[in-house]
């Protein structure tokens, strides 16, 4: 009963198979190999973005921080949700890679940036030489609260950024889950909504540690490549990242895996609801935040369940449950049974 | 006939097997898994350093730059060989991670730092507030010229650094080859010689992209961990790095692989020598720099050989050949036959 | 009628006289001159801090940013008031000098940090490797709202920082006004309350552009000196900064000038109050935030008054008035007369 | 007998007079005052550069480091003379302000960059993603060895930079002395030779601590202004910097002062030559490097002379003497008399 994170799961057999298949003969280093080229070609197809530049790195933090640094100067402010991963879980990597940009934390219910709060923050942001300047908007889809942005919601926030003269980053560590959840074409959730750079997650969806950065403006490629190398994120044996990403993108696996995770979460919601257990946020993808009676968490853990503790109302205990490609119906039922 | 780099080779079957074996069930993220703990324990044993802190990252550039940043302040100077990897092949990662430290490039024949040149450079380095300050010494073993430092040579250079008040980093991207070549215990080449932090290479020796940073002073761990996370180099699914490193360290494989690579290089040297082909540097590990007659490079490439071009004396062509765990006698003989 | 800022005023005759007096013969550069030594000695006496290290720079932004960098690592968070000068008026200098530290903006009425809000923010701040770490507390006295912290209020906030393991900076751009306002000995408002480093303002109090950084722990001196030089803030002809600061500290001028400014502000308050004009914040030093009837601002400006616009309630106009050593009773009366 | 540095001298009466004159009434802050505008206008005239942007800072290190940062990215290399001020005397300010650019130290006799050495270094500099990239050329005129570049020499080096795709900075801490020495119009030594940004020195020529950065491309102004503010180098009371710079530029004073300093140096050369004392470098401006008999330095110091020690051939003592606007014939004769 592994519900602590989607990064706690093993990788699907297709990933191991792809590594095996890639493991013969010599291959040129640093992304010049055939598989890396194939990833870019397939990603362009998947996103219907024929000019997009696709670069692989090993962590989501690297993908995010390099994406921000590619667009936001040291004196810029990145507007993001107050609980965004870049704000809470990256030990200041955005500040490090941007050489000192600032985060402006925007509130919003259920992990989504509140549009009017964003508008006010942009409006209040400085334009004189005394102020940190407007820099960038960073969205997250799936959000940290497990909700998703629709294409329209994305575009509405992007429009505010554009009106403020800012480019837009999308942290898609769980982008596959957002696409699977909305049923919207990934192009609609990204460049057609005005997103400039996408962290396209692989790791939480089933890879060993592979994320793609997608730059929709190909003119950004060279500077990005220098920043990636300088950050130590250009792997010499690129084929082993590429083989995994390719296996995930091929045959629609990325969406199948995400849909499975989302489905297991829905099944959990159904069961929790039947037991009268409330949720802190609507469950729109693969993350749940139940408030269950006190004493429950210890009991579940004693039975072998893993999950994170979260704040909860008086008299309750809060938890965060995350499902993955590997979550089984049996695990779900076992957890529900314990409740 | 793959001789362009040891990172062009595939990975040994034991590495794939280890990944398969690690790929079941849940595992806590970010290095809290059992395999990562096991790597630290085994590395301590291998290096006879029971207090050492061992951290895994995916690239040698990250290992080096994080190691330097852990010891050298922004206003410090890193003394290194003029052709060191940190100086020539990392797009300024040392400057990025240290927030602006400077490299002082020391000459020295055959890739080894000349002790008196180092002594002079340290002596000439500034101590007033107007000067970049003394920061650190960074050695590389195997050197970029394919030579090795003995324990005594290492200790002699370390002593100069110590006399100048500086700690010492060892870039061991090919450390296994140096140990195999010298037959010296790895402790003698590192902490017993006074090295403070070691980049212990896995990738060039056969892993997909795994390097260990070994901090011989455990008090450095926490700050290093923050720097690693902030650099985006803390992988969530640590087991897949750890499984590989463990497979390499177990059963002495790391030295077997390196000894094989060194042996193939020695065989090449023998054959080149028999054909009267001179070498730019003594071949002490797994890298060779032949000067062969003009026209040779094109002919070899036409026959399928890969290698890098290098400068050469008038009338000759220079090349760099690197052997690996995967180099076969047949490849070596095929290349020699073409010559 | 110059009320836009205390930095709009000219300098007192004593400052020009001191420059003249200093302007003969040779003087060693970079702070080795006699006057710079004399400033340190006198400042130690003024602050009753016999071991304090005193360093001069030309701007308050430099004093603040260097002070923060001396204590807060790149991965640290600086807790400060949401309207602190370091947050709103320095174009990210704190982030630049600290190499990427983050500001955590704490609310609080009338420019003073709310103690319970600070306690909550410290409590909520991260301690895992995924989080930006606790770094430092930065207070401002006089605050940006023109209020002051008493010694007890200062100590209470410092205690919260200490309990959280953090050192404390005091931005004293208008420290003289705070001392004059409270009648408290400057030692009580600084090191005796637990402050580690003080930006001691000279410019707003009457100098051409001179601020002192006072480090109460002398062991911090050398690293600070390197950071200052590296930031380009070590002036070669130190005597001209020192002569000004010395003139200000001698004969109690720094408090006389500040008391004069505070007195002019009090006189303004009296007059505004008599005219029924409300103030956004209590006036405790030399800054006032009146809300006057719409149309007033234009009328005053037409008559030659300078001041900044500020937000105000419906039907009113807001302004910020700042008095200085140079503000005359005539100016005050002229302004009041116009109202 | 003050010969240790031109920054050891007092300031000319005209500078104090200008400060006095500027010291009345209110003035808008941060460079919006009339005097700062007047400096820009006059500097444009002096340099025949009607679109140039002129910004004042308090130190040469700030002027240089901000100038480099305005043009050279973090992954760029600044090519400069191996003994340039930016390399030897700024504690890494260039690395700090550029966020980690690297210096490539070019040799050259008598402080001037050797053109063929520069060409080779540019040629050898990297262009792949693994290398620090070409960034910028930084020249110094007067050089640290006291020699000058002619317009033709400047243009020849600039051409090499341009061919390598790089912009050019000129460190003119003693630019006035170079103009006075060559008799060349300052436009010829700067933008007409292809220089993009000039550190125009005031401090060594007689001001208290004022340097101008001249950006010949006005589109660079806004980013430069943000960098200056962020570096803490935007002084609030701009009039006191501007008044000094204006006094220096008006009535040709800047060249008169420099010509005087150069003349005193020439007089020293004459006297040293008559005494058979050799010089390490040709004296073309206001710096001399005599090699005099052992024992001389102590004797001169005992008599009250100040100067720096320098290396010298066996049997000799080396010194650096610098003359200034304040050096008198009497001082020169007194020194020569002692010899």
């Amino acid at each position: 009963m592994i519900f602590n994170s989607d990064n706690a799961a093993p990788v699907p057999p297709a990933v191991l198979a792809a590594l095996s298949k890639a493991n013969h003969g010599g291959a040129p280093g640093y992304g010049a190999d055939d598989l890396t080229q194939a990833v870019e070609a397939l990603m362009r197809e998947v996103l219907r973005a024929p000019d997009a530049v696709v670069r692989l790195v090993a962590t989501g933090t690297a993908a995010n921080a390099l994406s921000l640094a590619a667009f936001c100067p040291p004196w810029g402010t990145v507007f993001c949700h107050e609980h965004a991963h870049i704000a809470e879980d990256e030990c200041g990597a955005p500040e490090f890679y941007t050489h000192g940009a600032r985060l402006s934390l925007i509130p919003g219910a259920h992990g989504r940036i509140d549009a009017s709060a964003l508008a006010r923050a942009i409006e209040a942001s400085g334009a004189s030489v005394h102020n940190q300047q407007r820099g960038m908007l960073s969205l997250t889809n799936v959000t940290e609260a497990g909700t998703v942005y629709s294409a329209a919601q994305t575009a509405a926030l992007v429009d505010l950024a554009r009106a403020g003269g800012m480019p837009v980053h999308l942290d898609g560590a769980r982008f596959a889950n957002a696409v699977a959840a909305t049923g919207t074409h990934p192009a609609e959730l990204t460049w057609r909504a005005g997103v400039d750079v996408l962290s396209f997650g692989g790791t939480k969806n089933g890879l060993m540690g592979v994320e793609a950065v997608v730059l929709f403006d190909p003119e950004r490629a060279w500077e990005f490549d220098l920043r990636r190398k300088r950050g130590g994120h250009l792997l010499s044996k690129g084929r082993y990242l590429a083989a995994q990403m390719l296996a995930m993108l091929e045959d629609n696996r990325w969406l199948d895996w995400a849909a499975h995770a989302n489905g297991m979460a829905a099944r959990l919601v159904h069961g929790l609801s039947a037991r009268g257990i409330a949720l802190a946020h609507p469950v729109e993808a693969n993350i749940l935040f139940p408030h269950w009676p006190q004493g429950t968490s210890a009991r579940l853990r004693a039975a072998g369940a893993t999950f994170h503790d979260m704040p909860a109302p008086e008299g309750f205990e809060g938890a965060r449950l995350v499902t993955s490609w590997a979550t089984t119906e049996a695990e779900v039922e076992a957890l529900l049974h314990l409740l």
Side-chain angles (χ1 to χ4, degrees), chain A:
Chain A
M1 289 179 292
I2 301 162
F3 295 106
N4 54 323
S5 177
D6 26 17
N7 66 35
V11 304
V15 174
L16 278 178
L19 287 175
S20 269
K21 193 177 154 204
N23 195 49
H24 61 89
Y30 304 106
D33 62 283
D34 294 343
L35 291 171
T36 300
Q37 308 308 308
V39 165
E40 186 166 72
L42 182 50
M43 183 72 85
R44 287 169 168 179
E45 208 175 289
V46 163
L47 296 173
R48 290 186 192 155
D51 296 325
V53 169
V54 180
R55 294 293 184 262
L56 302 180
V57 295
T59 72
T61 294
N64 287 340
L66 285 166
S67 294
L68 297 177
F71 286 86
C72 183
W75 46 83
T77 293
V78 177
F79 296 83
C80 64
H81 192 273
E82 61 183 331
H83 298 306
H85 199 270
I86 61 171
E88 298 211 326
D89 297 295
E90 301 187 354
C91 193
E95 286 90 342
F96 177 49
Y97 276 89
T98 59
H99 297 295
R102 186 178 289 179
L103 304 184
S104 176
L105 306 179
I106 313 296
H110 304 311
R112 280 183 288 246
I113 287 178
D114 180 81
S116 54
L118 175 61
R120 281 193 304 275
I122 294 173
E123 175 66 26
S125 66
S128 96
V129 80
H130 301 278
N131 313 125
Q132 189 86 356
Q133 305 291 302
R134 288 174 190 167
M136 193 168 194
L137 171 65
S138 179
L139 303 174
T140 310
N141 202 8
V142 176
T143 74
E144 296 297 310
T147 56
V148 300
Y149 287 108
S150 67
Q153 288 170 323
T154 302
L157 294 171
V158 169
D159 287 351
L160 292 172
R162 290 278 179 239
M166 293 188 289
V168 181
H169 166 243
L170 178 60
D171 177 357
R174 294 186 180 95
F175 184 63
N177 300 282
V179 173
T182 57
T184 306
H185 192 277
E188 303 295 329
L189 292 173
T190 56
W191 65 272
R192 282 191 187 146
V195 169
D196 296 279
V197 58
L198 167 67
S199 299
F200 182 100
T203 311
K204 291 183 194 297
N205 198 23
L207 307 188
M208 289 181 182
V210 190
E211 310 279 312
V213 173
V214 183
L215 296 150
F216 293 106
D217 175 359
E219 305 225 335
R220 298 281 180 165
W222 178 237
E223 186 184 309
F224 184 89
D225 286 351
L226 293 169
R227 289 185 184 273
R228 178 174 58 157
K229 173 63 192 173
R230 190 168 171 84
H233 287 292
L234 175 60
L235 271 74
S236 57
K237 298 183 178 176
R239 58 171 141 175
Y240 298 107
L241 294 187
Q244 294 182 63
M245 184 57 80
L246 204 56
M248 187 179 93
L249 291 177
E250 283 172 345
D251 300 333
N252 218 39
R253 284 191 197 99
W254 69 296
L255 291 178
D256 291 347
W257 296 345
H260 175 85
N262 289 359
M264 291 298 105
R267 192 172 183 120
L268 271 171
V269 170
H270 188 76
L272 291 167
S273 170
R275 282 154 186 81
I277 294 173
L279 292 154
H281 306 295
V283 177
E284 299 175 5
N286 67 324
I287 319 179
L288 305 87
F289 295 87
H291 294 157
W292 48 45
Q294 287 197 331
T296 308
S297 293
R299 190 159 48 79
L300 295 178
R301 284 190 171 121
T306 66
F307 52 84
H308 283 304
D309 293 326
M310 300 296 291
E314 192 70 27
F316 291 88
E317 283 173 351
R320 189 192 75 161
L321 310 179
V322 190
T323 57
S324 77
W325 76 270
T327 307
T328 61
E329 291 188 14
E331 279 181 298
V332 169
E333 293 307 321
L335 189 83
L336 291 173
H337 185 73
L338 286 165
L339 291 163

